[in-house]
Amino acid sequence: MSVRKKFVYTALSLSLFTVPALSACGADKASEPTKAESSQKDGSMKENVKSMQKTLAALQASLDKKDEKKVVAQGKKLNDQWLSYETEIREKYPLLYTDAEKYLQPLYNEVTKEKVDLDKIQEIGVQAGRSLDQLANAKKAAAKTSEALDKAVADYKTYVEEQTEELVKTTTAFTDAVRANDAEKAKFAYGQARVYYERIEPIAESFGDLDPKIDARENDVSADEWSGFHRIEKALWKDGTLEGMATYADQLDKDVAELQGEIKNVKLTSTQVVAGSMELLNEAAISKVTGEEERYSHIDLVDLAANVEGSQAIYHAILPALTDKNPDLSNQLDTEFNQLTETLTKYKQGDSYVAYTTLSKEQVRELSQQLSSLSESMAQTAEIFQ
């Protein structure tokens, strides 16, 4: 879960996975916007993007003057604007949205650090500006559908349902161990359950406050609302006791079961599925490589690898359509997925991975660069929808 977003997913993630325009189930024409409504909405979005471009320009001017105070203020303003506008952007242009998010989130992370790196902000700001330019100039076009793409959606939906079923099973094994006060068994089961959650994370984030209930980290939410995997993770690895954790185990079972019910009814589209793949890679490159996700257990490589596996499942689903359209890109993605898998394999320890804290800065940088490159390549698959 991204710390910057917290409960913002309640309002905005639903649009990523619920718009049925390209679903194999077909669209409900009665719910489709009129041309006038669509044009009005597009105009509103463009105005919002222009507002962000003005703020980014002001930030760049402050960078030129090395005015750190104004840079921080404008960076925070830019983030507030993005959080206010991103719902309609994500719904209308999911791939462009994901590309912009890849730079706007790190930019916000930089301006909120205790020690601000103006050169780093400048570097990210240039890329953020490019992404906003693409959004400002975007033209809504009817996305291409085909039998291959419809099958891709259906195949991926099956994958998500299978992963969720395993999530329920492994979570039950974890919570049973917690209730039995068996710390060693609970630690082992924790890692297994995290795999299945991280593989489907973009969809899990789309159902209101379920993701924060299941996956919030300490300080992501108020102390009295904090529950889920990471609440018990802290008890296991930091507090050294499972006393009082049975209640959280019961709630986690309930929330994961609710997630499974929601997933059974979700409708997906091909463009949004690909955006989900990019989102998995982006979040892995931005937040997972910092080691902040599993701050007590340090099994961040388990999460990161699962994000890559979830993204690869989407790639495999769209592969027939992509190979027909651009076989060279298919070969490039094969190579990049294989390279990243080989890199992760170096850190395998039995059926799991070494503690993230054992990696050097150079090793973390290599992972981050490979993830970013893979995300860029996945973004190019948008051409199969045109």
Side-chain angles (χ1 to χ4, degrees):
M1 178 184 176
S2 170
V3 64
R4 181 177 68 94
K5 295 214 175 280
K6 297 184 180 178
F7 278 111
V8 177
Y9 277 113
T10 300
L12 41 101
S13 288
L14 288 171
S15 61
L16 178 60
F17 291 105
T18 57
V19 182
L22 293 180
S23 170
C25 297
D28 180 0
K29 293 185 178 180
S31 65
E32 292 177 355
T34 64
K35 289 184 178 180
E37 289 172 335
S38 180
S39 176
Q40 183 180 21
K41 189 171 184 179
D42 192 48
S44 171
M45 190 205 79
K46 296 297 178 65
E47 288 301 316
N48 292 338
V49 172
K50 286 182 181 178
S51 296
M52 292 184 66
Q53 289 177 308
K54 289 180 180 178
T55 302
L56 183 58
L59 185 150
Q60 293 286 3
S62 297
L63 282 169
D64 292 339
K65 298 176 182 178
K66 299 192 181 302
D67 189 332
E68 182 177 314
K69 187 175 181 180
K70 285 188 177 180
V71 167
V72 170
Q74 287 152 353
K76 290 180 178 179
K77 179 181 178 181
L78 186 67
N79 179 65
D80 289 341
Q81 289 176 315
W82 180 244
L83 294 180
S84 297
Y85 306 153
E86 65 177 345
T87 303
E88 59 178 335
I89 294 174
R90 190 175 191 175
E91 179 180 344
K92 203 167 188 68
Y93 302 101
L95 296 173
L96 291 179
Y97 159 84
T98 304
D99 184 67
E101 172 79 355
K102 178 167 59 178
Y103 302 110
L104 291 170
Q105 182 175 334
L107 193 152
Y108 175 72
N109 292 343
E110 287 297 326
V111 301
T112 54
K113 287 182 176 179
E114 185 175 348
K115 186 177 181 180
V116 178
D117 186 338
L118 296 181
D119 290 336
K120 183 68 173 179
I121 293 172
Q122 173 70 41
E123 178 185 338
I124 300 173
V126 171
Q127 297 299 326
R130 175 191 59 75
S131 293
L132 291 180
D133 287 344
Q134 288 183 327
L135 278 169
N137 297 315
K139 293 182 179 180
K140 185 65 176 177
K144 179 181 178 181
T145 187
S146 68
E147 183 177 345
L149 291 177
D150 286 344
K151 186 176 186 302
V153 172
D155 288 348
Y156 182 64
K157 177 71 182 300
T158 298
Y159 170 81
V160 170
E161 290 176 345
E162 290 172 348
Q163 296 301 302
T164 307
E165 184 176 352
E166 291 302 314
L167 172 64
V168 172
K169 292 178 182 177
T170 52
T171 299
T172 299
F174 171 58
T175 53
D176 281 348
V178 171
R179 283 184 286 262
N181 199 31
D182 188 335
E184 288 307 310
K185 188 173 182 179
K187 286 181 178 181
F188 175 76
Y190 175 81
Q192 291 189 315
R194 294 298 295 162
V195 169
Y196 297 106
Y197 190 81
E198 292 293 329
R199 284 175 181 168
I200 62 167
E201 192 167 17
I203 293 185
E205 288 175 341
S206 70
F207 300 113
D209 62 357
L210 271 178
D211 177 60
K213 284 183 178 180
I214 295 170
D215 199 37
R217 293 163 297 188
E218 190 171 17
N219 300 322
D220 281 355
V221 296
S222 62
D224 62 331
E225 293 179 331
W226 188 31
S227 62
F229 280 115
H230 296 302
R231 178 66 185 86
I232 304 174
E233 177 204 4
K234 182 183 180 183
L236 281 166
W237 275 274
K238 183 179 181 181
D239 301 336
T241 176
L242 287 171
E243 183 177 354
M245 289 298 108
T247 299
Y248 294 106
D250 292 343
Q251 184 63 48
L252 182 57
D253 283 336
K254 179 180 177 182
D255 293 335
V256 168
E258 184 178 346
L259 175 65
Q260 184 179 37
E262 294 284 1
I263 283 175
K264 287 180 180 178
N265 297 319
V266 73
K267 292 182 179 179
L268 307 177
T269 76
S270 49
T271 51
Q272 292 156 348
V273 165
V274 172
S277 174
M278 293 165 58
E279 192 168 334
L280 276 168
L281 295 170
N282 289 347
E283 183 162 338
I286 294 166
S287 63
K288 296 297 192 304
V289 296
T290 65
E292 64 185 32
E293 180 76 11
E294 303 286 354
R295 61 184 66 166
Y296 306 112
S297 62
H298 303 303
I299 64 163
D300 302 87
L301 285 172
V302 172
D303 292 8
L304 195 154
N307 285 160
V308 173
E309 289 161 0
S311 179
Q312 193 167 23
I314 294 174
Y315 166 61
H316 287 156
I318 66 169
L319 187 57
L322 179 61
T323 300
D324 181 61
K325 182 81 173 183
N326 189 339
D328 289 339
L329 180 57
S330 296
N331 292 333
Q332 178 180 332
L333 281 163
D334 279 338
T335 298
E336 291 187 9
F337 270 116
N338 288 337
Q339 286 177 340
L340 184 51
T341 300
E342 288 175 6
T343 300
L344 287 167
T345 300
K346 292 189 298 185
Y347 310 121
K348 289 278 283 188
Q349 188 175 59
D351 293 331
S352 190
Y353 291 87
V354 300
Y356 196 72
T357 50
T358 64
L359 269 62
S360 66
K361 289 183 179 179
E362 290 74 20
Q363 290 171 326
V364 171
R365 188 180 300 112
E366 179 185 29
L367 284 169
S368 180
Q369 290 172 343
Q370 290 183 348
L371 285 163
S372 296
S373 176
L374 186 54
S375 178
E376 293 283 355
S377 297
M378 280 299 296
Q380 296 177 45
T381 64
E383 69 179 41
I384 67 176
F385 310 121
Q386 299 171 354

